[in-house]
Amino acid sequence: DTEVTQTPKHLVMGMTNKKSLKCEQHMGHRAMYWYKQKAKKPPELMFVYSYEKLSINESVPSRFSPECPNSSLLNLHLHALQPEDSALYLCASSQDRGRASYNSPLHFGNGTRLTVT
Amino acid sequence: TQLLEQSPQFLSIQEGENLTVYCNSSSVFSSLQWYRQEPGEGPVLLVTVVTGGEVKKLKRLTFQFGDARKDSSLHITAAQPGDTGLYLCAGEGLETSGSRLTFGEGTQLTVNP
């Protein structure tokens, strides 16, 4: 079982809907990440939060809005998405983003499979 | 921009065969991680290699980091159907703080019984 929990597992939404993806970890990690993954492709980094502050936004369209309410929770708010945004959205955490990652590798959740119709 | 070229992209073999996956770059990495992702799940870390020339073994899996820390390989001996999955290498840059992981394109391995 993964220690990073993502809900929901599957989500189907229309282009005018507003929905949110949720991620939770209780490992005391201080860095949390959102990745987008298309089928048979590597994860693409979207956002990084470090100590609850947004530290990286990889030029993601504003229809994706991240939020980190506290050190254990990470949300991704979705609004007016396009069909090409359909993908697996992965949340990950690491102990500390400031240190070399071999001291704090990524722990991934099992993702939310998003379909935009 | 650091790039990691991973090969082959797709590999379909019979149970019991051996295979090697390669991860190459023109850039130096401070460390390199290997992940395996099974259908419907997130990637799971298999190993991290840090020192040039380092070899790590995980049961039937052998990981090697090149002497110059620009490349890595994953060798699987006597592959099993349970080894089926997407194998991803990911390199960490040399920045001292907050470096990004660069993922390779992945190798989709299918081991047929």
Side-chain angles (χ1 to χ4, degrees):
Chain A
D1 287 339
T2 179
E3 295 167 307
V4 177
T5 304
Q6 287 187 247
T7 55
K9 288 190 192 308
H10 301 275
L11 179 62
V12 179
M13 61 185 288
M15 289 189 282
T16 58
N17 290 160
K18 283 186 183 182
K19 296 285 185 185
S20 296
L21 309 185
K22 297 187 182 302
C23 175
E24 190 169 0
Q25 58 88 13
H26 294 289
M27 294 178 281
H29 288 176
R30 303 315 300 266
M32 296 187 77
Y33 310 72
W34 281 115
Y35 282 86
K36 174 183 176 181
Q37 186 179 30
K38 293 282 199 179
K40 305 277 199 296
K41 290 293 186 182
E44 298 172 28
L45 184 64
M46 300 174 71
F47 302 104
V48 181
Y49 274 83
S50 182
Y51 291 85
E52 299 162 47
K53 287 186 168 40
L54 183 64
S55 59
I56 293 179
N57 176 342
E58 292 283 30
S59 302
V60 178
S62 60
R63 57 186 185 268
F64 295 91
S65 174
E67 179 197 16
C68 189
N70 60 56
S71 60
S72 300
L73 294 174
L74 186 66
N75 299 322
L76 186 63
H77 303 297
L78 315 172
H79 173 55
L81 294 194
Q82 305 295 311
E84 58 265 28
D85 295 321
S86 298
L88 180 69
Y89 287 84
L90 291 163
C91 173
S93 69
S94 66
Q95 184 177 359
D96 188 332
R97 186 177 165 268
R99 297 159 61 192
S101 70
Y102 59 81
N103 284 327
S104 55
L106 293 176
H107 293 251
F108 285 92
N110 285 333
T112 293
R113 175 73 58 193
L114 174 68
T115 304
V116 182
T117 60
Chain B
T1 302
Q2 296 180 302
L3 294 175
L4 266 173
E5 293 182 357
Q6 197 172 334
S7 63
Q9 272 194 287
F10 299 95
L11 191 53
S12 180
I13 61 172
Q14 293 301 120
E15 182 175 359
E17 291 183 8
N18 301 333
L19 66 115
T20 302
V21 178
Y22 299 94
C23 192
N24 296 302
S25 177
S26 58
S27 304
V28 177
F29 291 99
S30 62
S31 69
L32 201 135
Q33 300 169 9
W34 285 92
Y35 292 83
R36 178 171 65 211
Q37 184 175 19
E38 298 185 23
E41 298 183 6
V44 175
L45 179 72
L46 296 173
V47 79
T48 301
V49 285
V50 179
T51 307
E54 183 175 6
V55 176
K56 281 193 175 178
K57 293 196 174 192
L58 189 66
K59 296 185 181 176
R60 293 175 293 100
L61 279 60
T62 302
F63 304 85
Q64 187 160 9
F65 202 13
D67 291 341
R69 293 185 293 147
K70 292 182 180 181
D71 55 270
S72 181
S73 64
L74 157 60
H75 183 78
I76 302 180
T77 304
Q80 305 292 312
D83 295 327
T84 294
L86 179 67
Y87 288 80
L88 295 158
C89 62
E92 182 189 17
L94 292 175
E95 298 89 342
T96 53
S97 90
S99 60
R100 288 165 172 72
L101 274 185
T102 300
F103 278 91
E105 283 293 302
T107 295
Q108 182 62 51
L109 171 66
T110 303
V111 182
N112 302 298

